[in-house]
Each structure stands twice: as structure tokens, then as C-alpha cells.
């Protein structure tokens, strides 16, 4: 029986985005339903052409870059490809940043409000990074 995993990403640090992406990709690979809400400092990394890497918060974040760990965006993309995981941008953050859906990476889904996301997450497992 598949589970429903809901992940909220608000941090812009490498370790938190990496952990969220690892959970999303593993859950997708094992047949779980995955939805990821991208907001606050996490959202800019999903704007097309955003070339800056997420800053490391500590030693492990720096080691991940040195050791060639698959980047978080690649893992999120795998989650989408494996099981139609939903990457949902926060509509409020998009308004604040003045970005449109067309400016986001192709695997990112439709803008979603927090109220809708939390309503959909009711009864599922909710994780925040």
C-alpha cells in the first residue's frame, strides 16, 4: 500500500534541499505518492537559468559537493519521472518574486496556495525542510 508523502521546502541551504530531494526520490521509487511545496528561499532554485548552487550550511554540505553526490534538483527530477511526483511552487512566493509559471523549470507543476497544499496533505505524512 502506497503512502502519501507531502514535503514543504522553505530553506535555501544545500543540506535541507538535498534531504528533501532524497526523501522525494526514494518515496517515488518505492511507489509512494509524493507532493513537494516549494516556497520562500527554496523557490529561486527552480527558476530556469538559476545557476547559483545552494550554500552549504555545514561540513556535510561541502562534502556532498566534493564527493559528487547527485544534486537536489536532479533527485527532484527523478521523483517526477519515476512516479509523477508533484513539484508545486508557492503562489504567494511567485507573486513576491514576480515570476510566472513559464519561468520555472519544466518539471515544476502549477502554482499552488499553502491552504490548498495543507488541505491535500491532511491524512498524509508531512515533512518540512
Amino acid at each position: 500500500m502506497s503512502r502519501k508523502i507531502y514535503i514543504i521546502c522553505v530553506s535555501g541551504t544545500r543540506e535541507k534541499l538535498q534531504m528533501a530531494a532524497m526523501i522525494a526520490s526514494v518515496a517515488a521509487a518505492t511507489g509512494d505518492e509524493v507532493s513537494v511545496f516549494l516556497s520562500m528561499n527554496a523557490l529561486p532554485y527552480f527558476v530556469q537559468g538559476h545557476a547559483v548552487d545552494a550554500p552549504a550550511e555545514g561540513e556535510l554540505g561541502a562534502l556532498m559537493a566534493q564527493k559528487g553526490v547527485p544534486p537536489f534538483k536532479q533527485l527532484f527530477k527523478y521523483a517526477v519521472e519515476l512516479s509523477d511526483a508533484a513539484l508545486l511552487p508557492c503562489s504567494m512566493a511567485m507573486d513576491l518574486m514576480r515570476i510566472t509559471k513559464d519561468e520555472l523549470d519544466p518539471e515544476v507543476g502549477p502554482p499552488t496556495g499553502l491552504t490548498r497544499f495543507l488541505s491535500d496533505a491532511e491524512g498524509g505524512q508531512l515533512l518540512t525542510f
Side-chain angles (χ1 to χ4, degrees):
M1 183 172 155
S2 68
R3 297 174 294 174
K4 293 183 178 181
I5 308 289
Y6 295 87
I7 301 170
I8 297 176
C9 292
V10 295
S11 172
T13 65
R14 182 178 304 151
E15 291 89 338
K16 290 179 181 170
L17 288 166
Q18 188 74 25
M19 193 69 219
M22 289 167 44
I23 290 171
S25 63
V26 169
T30 58
D32 291 333
E33 185 179 316
V34 178
S35 292
V36 181
F37 188 71
L38 305 167
S39 189
M40 304 299 173
N41 294 329
L43 185 57
Y45 295 103
F46 296 88
V47 175
Q48 292 182 34
H50 189 279
V52 177
D53 283 335
E57 193 173 46
E59 184 179 336
L60 212 56
L63 281 173
M64 286 190 292
Q66 293 172 1
K67 301 289 184 179
V69 172
F72 65 87
K73 285 184 69 170
Q74 184 177 352
L75 294 176
F76 279 127
K77 189 173 180 178
Y78 288 159
V80 171
E81 292 171 357
L82 287 170
S83 74
D84 290 330
L87 302 180
L88 304 169
C90 172
S91 56
M92 183 203 74
M94 289 178 66
D95 287 345
L96 288 172
M97 294 173 60
R98 296 184 182 180
I99 57 174
T100 66
K101 166 76 176 96
D102 293 339
E103 296 173 275
L104 296 171
D105 291 337
E107 59 272 9
V108 176
T112 304
L114 179 60
T115 303
R116 172 63 186 256
F117 185 82
L118 291 176
S119 176
D120 291 347
E122 192 172 320
Q125 186 171 7
L126 182 64
L127 306 167
T128 303
F129 294 91

